[in-house]
Amino acid sequence: VETSSHGDFEVCAVVSRPPKRVKKAVSKTAVHELAEKLGVSQVLTPPSAKDKDFLDQLEALKPDVCVTAAYGEYLPKRFLQTPRLGTVNLH
């Protein structure tokens, strides 16, 4: 996400795990915090990668590529097939 502001491409959205409640505060993931800091217009936090509403939102974005890293959940076929040029999964 951080290097996205320096390249010849646009980050149309970031997907992150949903914020968690820690005591009385809401804790966002580091990726979520960084996306907001960099001004990414959409930070999606679905309850599951299989969530129909989330997958509908992702398809509506019409991404060329999705890059995933340490999401912590199995990514369904519908997610992986959404981007026009495919999905890159980093481990």
Side-chain angles (χ1 to χ4, degrees):
V1 173
E2 193 163 3
T3 59
S4 68
S5 61
H6 305 293
D8 291 334
F9 55 91
E10 173 192 359
V11 175
C12 61
V14 167
V15 179
S16 182
R17 304 292 293 168
K20 292 183 180 181
R21 233 188 224 300
V22 179
K23 297 186 182 182
K24 294 183 180 183
V26 175
S27 177
K28 297 175 183 175
T29 67
V31 169
H32 187 150
E33 294 279 351
L34 182 59
E36 287 181 342
K37 177 182 168 190
L38 294 174
V40 175
S41 61
Q42 294 190 61
V43 179
L44 308 175
T45 57
S48 165
K50 298 174 188 174
D51 183 79
K52 182 189 178 317
D53 291 337
F54 160 66
L55 293 169
D56 290 345
Q57 282 182 294
L58 183 65
E59 288 173 345
L61 291 169
K62 297 184 175 148
D64 292 325
V65 174
C66 284
V67 178
T68 63
Y71 188 68
E73 188 177 318
Y74 171 77
L75 299 173
K77 185 179 261 188
R78 183 174 168 198
F79 176 97
L80 297 172
Q81 292 178 337
T82 295
R84 182 175 63 87
L85 300 174
T87 299
V88 178
N89 190 12
L90 307 172
H91 290 271

